[in-house]
Amino acid sequence: MVEMNERKKGILKAVINEYILTAEPIGSRTISKKYKLDVSSATIRNEMADLEDLGYLQQPHTSAGRIPSDKGYRFYVDSLIDVERIPESFEEMIRKKYLERKKEVQNIVQVTSQMLSQLTRYTALVASPSSTDYYFQHLQLVPLEGKKITIIVVISSGLVQHQTLTLQHRPSREELGNISRLINDRLQGLPLGKISSEVLGQLERELKDHSIFRELYRSLLTVLTEEGLSQEWGKIHLDGATNILEQPEFSDLEKVKVFLKLFEQEDILRQLLNRIPAEGLQVVIGGEIPLQEMKDCSLVVADYSIQDTSVGKMAILGPTRMNYPKVIAAVNFMAEVISKVMREED
Amino acid sequence: MVEMNERKKGILKAVINEYILTAEPIGSRTISKKYKLDVSSATIRNEMADLEDLGYLQQPHTSAGRIPSDKGYRFYVDSLIDVERIPESFEEMIRKKYLERKKEVQNIVQVTSQMLSQLTRYTALVASPSSTDYYFQHLQLVPLEGKKITIIVVISSGLVQHQTLTLQHRPSREELGNISRLINDRLQGLPLGKISSEVLGQLERELKDHSIFRELYRSLLTVLTEEGLSQEWGKIHLDGATNILEQPEFSDLEKVKVFLKLFEQEDILRQLLNRIPAEGLQVVIGGEIPLQEMKDCSLVVADYSIQDTSVGKMAILGPTRMNYPKVIAAVNFMAEVISKVMREED
DNA sequence: TCTTAGCACTCCTCTGGTTAGAGTGCTAAG
DNA sequence: CTTAGCACTCTAACCAGAGGAGTGCTAAGA
């Protein structure tokens, strides 16, 4: 029975490194020449045959070089990888990027996915927090011209939802003040996940002498409850989609089509990220991805925190042949920077 | 000298219709068989040669059929096209789409581009209004926990901008009330285009005994002035980018790349739309588009109104070989529906 | 004078076969 | 156990030739 040994590990690592660079099957001669392993190509040939028996390498066809299998990549990621670090100097630059924009979830998500895709040259996915992580804080009814008013809801960490509607009659300032005070008293501090149509329904019954509430009802549903919020929250932000076009594995137009179509279906992407356990950094390789169409890709996923609570996930999607050290470093780095920036009290 | 006549027009129309359908060069035999023009293929051959001399048709190479030139399409669009109508019945459906979402510019733009790309199966571009079309209406300072406050600015037609910031000290309700009253008095009714850093600077000088204003200053800039607003406004929303992949003219991966990259550069798209005069519906064909990369495409552009004021543009981008009657109908229709929906007083 | 059948010609595209090259596995010697 | 040598395999690239679609031109017919 063949077994793994140090030399085999070295060869496996060399093959994978080389394949990541060239995207071409790697022959024994290439390895013996480029990497100083002090053995002949024939020896490497033998070892590579063993590595194939062990399932770490595979041949596209006889008389071609070897390419890594999913199992090979898995071993590489778990045991062979040289950890890279993103220079600390980047941190200040990226921190600035965050601070020069409005500090809202939508922006954080957007900037993060941009940074990630620029840093790695692959496709970045960032899931924004779902509403269940937040608390109701304050509601304000602002009268506009005529019969119009704007409902403004402030949610923990200064996130704001708003909606404009037209009432049956022009409301008095008093009227609005009264009703908003009542609503505020009732909802203060409730987690958004708990504010269901039931809670609002009950409130409606209690406030039935305030005819305005009936009119507000539908809008409040939109601004406060799960269903309404899901339109804006739990969104997936995607960046650098066209980066996949630079990868030789996507020189086939059909494949490109499949992917770009996939990218347009947010719910599928959201499901995908949700299915990956969210502790620290995860690498999901090839067939391990719960999406048949992505069997030739890998995902590097990490969760990020706002105010020290893990609220969302970010991921890089690239070919299985991706530059793991670089991508892992980038994702780790970004997750850390976000968490730092979002912990600060400014 | 050859001249245009009715038969030539009929043949040109037939060739273009057929080419729109098949994307293959059209031969004389195809025309004489499929379209009842009661002449032989030889006659059509002669006429087609004339149409080529006139510049309406061209041959990819001798011994191939003819394809329309830009000039051919132009003539077709201006004089030969059969106007289609989108069934009225769609209107109610689409109106619903608008009403079930929050009635904000961001949403209107988003829904519109979705509808357009679904209706036509090409790529839709919608430019949201630029801030200069709006007026300041109301500012509200909402205190949050600790030293945080949210600035909420309501702009004409119920559009809302907001930003959260942290002050040096916890402000009193009074303090906030005072300063917001002062700001409101000053800015009431001003067009956003007029609210420059000068206006705010002057306000700062006047309010120098209110130390808070100094802290608000930067945030107000972001929420109120051109530079800050441009981040969110004047945005281009794009939908159905992958629809171009279905077009045989994009079977070349290089072309696809160029386009998808282009689609990621919002400023270029914005410029593109801005350069097209905005009265009613415009068809811009092939080389007429002020972007070299799009010389094999056409644009169908229309402007849309909110409250009877033209504020933005929508466009369909497809190959020059696009189905003009259908696209023109769709764009016209959507522009009308928006304008109707946005004129109503609810 | 206009239309049309006929025909030679052009040019693209598709097919099949051949070749060059890269890489292998195996064998036998060091 | 390592390695040089060699026969073998398989692909990708190239090329030639056939097939076919479509043209332009000519000459005859209406």
Side-chain angles (χ1 to χ4, degrees):
Chain A
M1 190 51 210
V2 259
E3 286 210 358
M4 205 58 175
N5 60 30
E6 283 311 309
R7 192 169 67 189
K8 283 196 180 58
K9 286 186 191 172
I11 291 172
L12 178 58
K13 186 169 161 182
V15 170
I16 296 185
N17 279 337
E18 195 64 17
Y19 186 64
I20 285 175
L21 239 63
T22 63
E24 303 275 306
I26 310 300
S28 53
R29 239 176 81 84
T30 315
I31 297 295
S32 79
K33 270 202 302 185
K34 273 211 179 181
Y35 292 77
K36 288 271 149 287
L37 293 172
D38 290 326
V39 279
S40 74
S41 67
T43 307
I44 293 181
R45 218 143 47 227
N46 289 327
E47 294 285 52
M48 279 166 94
D50 287 352
L51 284 168
E52 187 170 350
D53 288 343
L54 289 167
Y56 295 120
L57 293 179
Q58 53 194 182
Q59 265 181 312
H61 54 86
T62 23
S63 87
R66 301 301 206 296
I67 62 175
S69 66
D70 283 2
K71 189 178 168 191
Y73 283 118
R74 171 55 53 207
F75 189 83
Y76 173 77
V77 167
D78 290 343
S79 317
L80 301 177
I81 221 162
D82 296 319
V83 189
E84 263 182 38
R85 291 274 321 148
I86 303 276
E88 295 282 324
S89 58
F90 272 74
E91 187 169 326
E92 206 41 46
M93 199 199 77
I94 289 174
R95 182 190 296 263
K96 263 204 195 114
K97 282 264 179 207
Y98 282 109
L99 297 182
E100 78 193 14
R101 301 291 232 97
K102 290 202 289 171
K103 211 166 157 191
E104 282 171 31
V105 174
Q106 303 302 337
N107 277 320
I108 295 163
V109 166
Q110 200 184 324
V111 172
T112 307
S113 64
Q114 269 171 26
M115 292 284 97
L116 273 178
S117 75
Q118 276 171 29
L119 232 49
T120 60
R121 313 256 80 216
Y122 297 112
T123 302
L125 301 168
V126 181
S128 51
S130 79
S131 58
T132 43
D133 295 316
Y134 289 97
Y135 295 85
F136 174 90
Q137 210 168 59
H138 184 86
L139 175 141
Q140 189 115 15
L141 300 175
V142 183
L144 309 182
E145 9 98 73
K147 301 170 186 169
K148 287 189 184 173
I149 63 169
T150 292
I151 304 177
I152 294 167
V153 175
V154 182
I155 295 156
S156 42
S157 357
L159 302 168
V160 179
Q161 286 280 319
H162 53 77
Q163 167 146 28
T164 305
L165 74 161
T166 310
L167 300 175
Q168 303 282 357
H169 66 279
R170 184 171 169 78
S172 70
R173 231 164 238 282
E174 258 184 304
E175 210 172 0
L176 291 181
N178 281 335
I179 199 147
S180 61
R181 205 166 318 113
L182 286 165
I183 297 173
N184 274 317
D185 285 351
R186 190 51 173 276
L187 301 182
Q188 196 80 54
L190 276 184
L192 291 191
K194 286 266 168 62
I195 303 181
S196 57
S197 41
E198 283 173 60
V199 175
L200 288 179
Q202 206 191 323
L203 228 147
E204 186 179 20
R205 259 168 275 129
E206 293 173 29
L207 299 181
K208 59 176 177 291
D209 40 337
H210 292 267
S211 67
I212 298 185
F213 190 82
R214 184 165 291 255
E215 299 179 50
L216 291 181
Y217 185 71
R218 171 170 290 276
S219 300
L220 286 177
L221 270 181
T222 316
V223 192
L224 286 174
T225 67
E226 198 73 42
E227 313 105 66
L229 287 169
S230 63
Q231 269 183 23
E232 327 237 316
W233 295 39
K235 268 210 170 150
I236 300 285
H237 207 277
L238 191 141
D239 235 286
T242 55
N243 285 347
I244 66 163
L245 298 176
E246 307 296 337
Q247 301 302 327
E249 29 270 280
F250 288 93
S251 58
D252 176 22
L253 198 75
E254 276 314 305
K255 267 193 186 172
V256 172
K257 255 191 213 178
V258 171
F259 267 77
L260 293 179
K261 295 259 169 199
L262 218 55
F263 289 167
E264 286 188 343
Q265 295 172 273
E266 221 183 290
D267 40 333
I268 292 185
L269 299 178
R270 181 168 33 238
Q271 258 182 47
L272 174 64
L273 287 189
N274 282 340
R275 276 168 115 179
I276 294 162
E279 325 137 11
L281 187 133
Q282 300 269 335
V283 181
V284 192
I285 295 165
E288 299 169 9
I289 300 180
L291 253 188
Q292 175 57 20
E293 293 93 326
M294 291 191 178
K295 67 175 169 40
D296 298 323
C297 293
S298 283
L299 276 171
V300 177
V301 190
D303 63 331
Y304 64 92
S305 304
I306 293 183
Q307 313 280 19
D308 285 322
T309 318
S310 165
V311 292
K313 291 202 192 97
M314 62 179 77
I316 284 291
L317 175 67
T320 40
R321 187 190 60 74
M322 74 164 72
N323 186 331
Y324 291 95
K326 187 172 146 195
V327 171
I328 291 175
V331 173
N332 245 332
F333 180 74
M334 287 302 294
E336 273 175 34
V337 174
I338 282 199
S339 301
K340 271 192 210 168
V341 172
M342 291 300 121
R343 190 184 304 131
E344 289 159 8
E345 293 300 319
D346 61 349
Chain B
M1 189 52 208
V2 260
E3 285 209 1
M4 205 61 175
N5 58 32
E6 282 312 309
R7 192 169 68 190
K8 283 196 180 61
K9 285 187 192 173
I11 291 171
L12 178 57
K13 187 169 162 182
V15 169
I16 296 186
N17 279 337
E18 195 64 18
Y19 186 64
I20 285 175
L21 239 64
T22 63
E24 303 275 306
I26 311 300
S28 54
R29 240 177 83 83
T30 315
I31 297 296
S32 79
K33 270 202 302 186
K34 273 213 180 178
Y35 293 77
K36 288 269 149 286
L37 294 172
D38 291 326
V39 279
S40 74
S41 67
T43 306
I44 294 181
R45 218 146 43 230
N46 288 328
E47 295 286 51
M48 280 167 92
D50 287 352
L51 284 167
E52 188 170 349
D53 287 344
L54 289 167
Y56 295 120
L57 294 180
Q58 52 194 181
Q59 266 181 312
H61 53 86
T62 21
S63 88
R66 302 300 207 296
I67 63 175
S69 67
D70 283 3
K71 188 178 168 191
Y73 284 119
R74 171 55 52 205
F75 189 82
Y76 173 77
V77 166
D78 289 344
S79 317
L80 302 176
I81 221 164
D82 298 317
V83 188
E84 264 182 38
R85 290 276 319 152
I86 303 275
E88 296 282 323
S89 58
F90 271 75
E91 186 168 327
E92 205 41 47
M93 199 197 78
I94 289 174
R95 183 190 295 263
K96 263 204 195 111
K97 282 266 177 204
Y98 282 108
L99 296 182
E100 77 193 15
R101 301 292 232 94
K102 290 201 290 169
K103 212 165 157 192
E104 282 171 30
V105 173
Q106 302 303 336
N107 278 319
I108 295 163
V109 166
Q110 199 183 325
V111 172
T112 307
S113 65
Q114 269 172 26
M115 293 283 96
L116 272 178
S117 76
Q118 277 171 29
L119 232 48
T120 60
R121 315 255 81 216
Y122 296 112
T123 302
L125 301 168
V126 182
S128 51
S130 80
S131 58
T132 43
D133 295 315
Y134 290 97
Y135 294 85
F136 174 90
Q137 210 166 60
H138 184 87
L139 174 141
Q140 190 114 18
L141 300 176
V142 183
L144 309 181
E145 8 98 73
K147 301 169 187 169
K148 288 188 185 174
I149 64 169
T150 292
I151 305 178
I152 295 166
V153 175
V154 182
I155 294 156
S156 42
S157 358
L159 302 168
V160 179
Q161 285 281 319
H162 52 77
Q163 167 146 26
T164 305
L165 74 160
T166 310
L167 300 174
Q168 303 282 358
H169 66 279
R170 185 171 168 75
S172 71
R173 230 165 239 280
E174 256 183 308
E175 210 172 0
L176 291 181
N178 281 336
I179 197 147
S180 61
R181 205 166 319 115
L182 286 165
I183 297 174
N184 273 317
D185 285 351
R186 190 51 173 278
L187 300 182
Q188 196 80 53
L190 275 185
L192 291 191
K194 288 267 168 62
I195 304 182
S196 58
S197 40
E198 282 174 60
V199 176
L200 288 179
Q202 206 191 323
L203 229 147
E204 186 180 19
R205 258 167 276 131
E206 292 175 28
L207 299 180
K208 61 175 175 290
D209 38 336
H210 292 267
S211 67
I212 297 183
F213 190 83
R214 183 166 292 258
E215 298 179 48
L216 291 181
Y217 184 72
R218 170 171 291 275
S219 301
L220 286 177
L221 270 182
T222 316
V223 192
L224 286 174
T225 67
E226 198 74 40
E227 313 103 68
L229 287 168
S230 63
Q231 269 183 23
E232 328 236 316
W233 295 40
K235 267 210 170 150
I236 300 284
H237 207 278
L238 191 141
D239 236 286
T242 56
N243 285 347
I244 66 163
L245 298 175
E246 307 296 338
Q247 302 301 328
E249 27 270 280
F250 288 93
S251 58
D252 177 20
L253 198 75
E254 275 314 306
K255 266 193 185 172
V256 172
K257 253 192 214 178
V258 170
F259 267 78
L260 294 179
K261 294 260 170 199
L262 218 54
F263 288 168
E264 286 188 344
Q265 294 173 273
E266 222 184 291
D267 39 334
I268 292 185
L269 298 178
R270 181 168 33 238
Q271 258 183 45
L272 175 63
L273 288 189
N274 282 340
R275 276 168 113 181
I276 294 162
E279 327 136 10
L281 187 131
Q282 300 269 336
V283 181
V284 192
I285 295 166
E288 298 168 10
I289 299 180
L291 252 189
Q292 175 58 21
E293 294 92 327
M294 291 191 178
K295 66 176 171 40
D296 298 322
C297 293
S298 284
L299 276 171
V300 177
V301 190
D303 62 330
Y304 64 92
S305 304
I306 293 182
Q307 313 282 20
D308 286 322
T309 317
S310 165
V311 291
K313 292 206 193 93
M314 61 179 78
I316 284 293
L317 175 68
T320 39
R321 188 189 60 73
M322 74 164 73
N323 186 332
Y324 291 95
K326 187 172 145 195
V327 171
I328 291 175
V331 172
N332 245 331
F333 180 74
M334 287 302 295
E336 274 175 33
V337 174
I338 283 199
S339 300
K340 272 192 209 167
V341 172
M342 290 300 120
R343 189 183 305 132
E344 289 159 7
E345 290 301 318
D346 61 349

